[in-house]
């Protein structure tokens, strides 16, 4: 990269390095030189995403004081990192983190698996479940009954069907967020919503702050739009958002947009608290940043005792800072490509006007189906089915992974559809590659980071359960053994056909 996009303070970096020393120490091994330990610690923080790529590191003297080591030690560590491709420097601009050239992001693991491969391959690539029948069939039948009046029109509704816009507005109002239909635009899925928002607010070269890790498909959409991604490191475990880091990044880089998944974050499953949401909105408002809140996982509370925080937009009563995105894809069915945007009326008008040069509108029949579900109570019934299925799958997958891969580290999320696992010191990219050879498809950690971070992670969705979850964990364990012994080449066993 040409220059840094965020900064890591000396005290913050020292705290991160100190926190990992106990975990990385190995008894009975010869202690490496101090500079080597420091270089390895920083490199690991970058690969795990705890320190973002393109983050400016503190000056040598500042870090030496914070770590109580000599400046020579820090200088030698920085030089080692430069030689390995994990640090770049320029006179007058300082030094910033990087990843070595020739380490591209893995290209596989998230696109839908062809139906003909389902007999031999267990697909953990997509966080999507089958439709919650009989509600899909009932919704389509109800939509067909209501279709005739719309068939006599041109069928183009750039803002969405008035009935569905009103229904969505009423649902926000019931959640304590007064909303008018004029604040809603219906889109073709959440991806269509975020694409429209990025096109309106962030042109090529603009900065967008994103959680690190974040939802891989959105990161790729933003890369394709030519924006500059500014990663903001997540806090350890399911605590989620480090608001001191968020404030610093928004203040220093002044991004045009910030994209967050505060409700059962994809991929970690973290749930932001009311306090974190309030602080996030305040930080975005102070920086002049538009905060895009992705609520696609918000209804997937898997443990009944989880008390859901208020929506992010509840902390922006004037509507000047937060743009909310919702979707039927995760809560109902991925094949139901209905999403929506909630924003201030002037923002909605601008999005609708720009849509004339994009897709003109969202399919009428699918909008009628979602409206039918929400009007009749079928939506709540279907989401209940979805929660039960995801909870059973989660519990089965967690038990199987703990049994087959006891050295993998993760925290069990209380909602959402994904488990974020540290793969026992193995390369996530190699696990993804070898996994396909032994019959399990899993996306590697770098897909969810910016510029190659999270090499030691994989994402496991709650899409399989029972015997299939057990077989998936068994195949992952086989892949891990092959990767761990360096035998992940042509000698890997072919996948066995598995019928649930």
């Amino acid at each position: 990269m040409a220059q840094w996009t965020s900064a890591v303070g000396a005290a913050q970096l020292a705290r991160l390095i100190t926190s990992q020393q106990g975990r990385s120490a190995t008894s009975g091994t010869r202690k490496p030189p101090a500079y080597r330990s420091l270089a390895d610690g920083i490199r690991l923080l970058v690969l795990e995403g705890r320190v973002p790529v393109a983050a400016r590191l503190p000056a040598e003297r500042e870090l030496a004081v914070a770590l109580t080591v000599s400046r020579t030690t820090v200088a030698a560590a920085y030089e080692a990192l430069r030689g390995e491709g994990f640090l770049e420097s320029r006179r007058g601009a300082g030094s910033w983190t990087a990843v070595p050239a020739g380490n591209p992001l893995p290209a596989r693991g998230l696109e839908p698996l062809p139906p003909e491969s389902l007999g031999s391959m267990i697909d953990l690539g997509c966080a999507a479940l089958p439709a919650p029948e009989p509600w899909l069939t009932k919704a389509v039948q109800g939509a067909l009954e209501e279709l005739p009046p719309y068939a006599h029109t041109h069928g183009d509704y750039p803002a969405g069907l008035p009935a569905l816009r009103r229904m969505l507005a009423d649902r926000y109002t019931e959640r304590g967020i007064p909303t008018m239909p004029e604040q809603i635009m219906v889109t073709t899925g959440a991806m269509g919503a975020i694409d429209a928002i990025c096109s309106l607010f962030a042109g090529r070269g603009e900065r967008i702050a994103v959680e690190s890790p974040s939802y891989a498909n959105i990161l790729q959409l933003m890369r394709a739009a030519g924006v500059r991604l500014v990663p903001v490191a997540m806090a350890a475990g399911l605590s989620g958002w480090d608001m001191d880091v968020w404030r610093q990044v928004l203040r220093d880089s002044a991004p045009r947009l910030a994209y967050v998944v505060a409700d059962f974050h994809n991929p970690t499953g973290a749930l932001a608290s009311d306090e974190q949401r309030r602080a996030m909105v305040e930080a975005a408002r102070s920086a002049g940043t538009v905060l895009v809140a992705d609520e696609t996982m918000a209804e997937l509370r898997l443990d009944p005792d989880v008390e859901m925080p208020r929506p992010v937009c509840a902390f922006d009563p004037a509507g000047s800072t937060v743009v909310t995105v919702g979707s039927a894809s995760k809560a109902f069915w991925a094949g139901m490509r209905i999403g929506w945007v909630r924003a201030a009326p002037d923002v909605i008008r601008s999005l609708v006007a720009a849509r004339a040069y994009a897709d003109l509108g969202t399919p009428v029949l699918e909008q009628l189906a979602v409206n039918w579900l929400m009007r009749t109570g079928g939506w709540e019934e279907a989401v209940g089915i979805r929660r039960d299925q995801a909870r059973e799958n989660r519990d089965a997958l967690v038990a199987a992974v703990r049994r087959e891969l006891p050295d993998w580290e993760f925290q069990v999320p209380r909602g959402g559809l994904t488990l974020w696992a540290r793969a026992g010191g193995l390369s996530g990219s190699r696990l993804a590659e070898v996994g396909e050879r032994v019959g399990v498809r899993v996306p590697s950690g770098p897909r969810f980071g910016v510029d190659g971070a999270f090499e030691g992670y994989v994402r496991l969705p709650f899409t399989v359960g029972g015997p299939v979850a057990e077989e998936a964990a068994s195949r992952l364990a086989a892949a891990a053994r092959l990767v761990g012994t360096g035998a992940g080449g042509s000698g890997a066993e072919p996948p066995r056909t598995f019928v649930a």
Side-chain angles (χ1 to χ4, degrees), residues 7-30:
V8 180
Q12 178 190 0
L13 183 57
R15 185 171 64 252
L16 290 170
I17 291 170
T18 302
S19 69
Q20 70 177 191
Q21 287 176 347
R23 191 187 72 214
S24 60
T26 304
S27 60
T29 60
R30 184 177 179 181

Side-chain angles (χ1 to χ4, degrees), residues 11-67:
Q12 178 190 0
L13 183 57
R15 185 171 64 252
L16 290 170
I17 291 170
T18 302
S19 69
Q20 70 177 191
Q21 287 176 347
R23 191 187 72 214
S24 60
T26 304
S27 60
T29 60
R30 184 177 179 181
K31 187 176 181 180
Y35 86 89
R36 185 68 263 170
S37 293
L38 177 56
D40 289 346
I42 294 174
R43 176 176 55 82
L44 183 60
L45 289 170
V46 173
L47 289 175
E48 291 183 344
R50 301 294 305 283
V51 170
V53 176
R56 186 178 187 273
L57 296 187
E60 295 170 1
R61 188 184 303 277
E62 294 174 357
L63 185 57
V65 171
L67 289 170

Side-chain angles (χ1 to χ4, degrees), residues 31 53 148 176 197 236 244 267 284 302:
K31 187 176 181 180
V53 176
I197 293 166
D244 289 337
L302 303 186

Side-chain angles (χ1 to χ4, degrees), residues 236-249:
L238 296 182
S239 56
W241 294 261
D242 186 329
M243 293 318 305
D244 289 337
V245 174
W246 268 99
R247 291 187 190 94
Q248 180 181 347
V249 170

Side-chain angles (χ1 to χ4, degrees), residues 486-499:
S490 59
E493 296 179 4
R496 304 182 299 275
T497 300
F498 184 81
V499 180

Side-chain angles (χ1 to χ4, degrees), residues 72-293:
T72 302
T73 296
V74 177
Y78 279 15
E79 183 59 34
L81 290 168
R82 276 189 289 269
E84 296 164 1
F86 286 94
L87 196 68
E88 295 182 11
S89 304
R90 189 173 67 233
R91 186 178 297 276
S95 300
W96 56 92
T97 55
V99 291
N103 286 14
L105 289 170
R108 298 179 295 177
L110 290 176
E111 66 276 9
L113 189 68
E116 62 270 16
S117 301
L118 292 176
S120 60
M121 184 75 70
I122 298 176
D123 186 11
L124 298 181
C126 296
L129 289 162
E133 289 287 27
W135 291 105
L136 174 61
T137 299
K138 289 184 176 182
V140 173
Q141 291 171 341
L144 285 171
E145 293 175 0
E146 298 176 4
L147 182 61
Y150 295 93
H152 295 292
T153 73
H154 49 63
D156 288 333
Y157 295 87
L161 292 184
L164 182 55
R165 296 178 72 195
R166 186 165 51 252
M167 175 64 68
L168 292 168
D170 289 346
R171 289 175 68 87
Y172 276 106
T173 300
E174 290 169 4
R175 294 169 67 189
I177 317 298
T179 303
M180 304 178 295
E182 292 79 9
Q183 291 179 261
I184 301 291
M185 181 177 83
V186 181
T187 63
T188 307
M191 294 288 288
I194 293 172
D195 185 39
I197 293 166
C198 289
S199 298
L200 178 64
F201 286 102
R204 297 189 69 85
E206 294 273 9
R207 292 179 176 179
I208 299 181
V210 295
E211 296 146 328
S212 184
S214 186
Y215 180 33
N217 287 339
I218 294 297
L219 295 181
Q220 187 56 38
L221 181 154
M222 292 176 177
R223 290 188 188 99
V227 302
R228 298 178 61 190
L229 297 178
V230 181
V232 186
M234 297 282 283
L238 296 182
S239 56
W241 294 261
D242 186 329
M243 293 318 305
D244 289 337
V245 174
W246 268 99
R247 291 187 190 94
Q248 180 181 347
V249 170
L250 295 183
R251 182 179 62 247
D252 292 347
S253 59
R256 188 71 184 92
L257 291 176
Y259 169 76
V260 297
V261 185
D263 299 285
F264 306 120
H265 174 260
N266 187 352
T268 69
L271 177 65
S273 66
D274 278 331
E275 292 74 17
Q276 288 172 325
R277 294 167 192 241
R278 178 182 291 105
M280 211 177 295
V281 173
E282 291 174 353
R285 184 182 296 119
S286 296
T289 297
V290 174
L291 183 63
V292 181

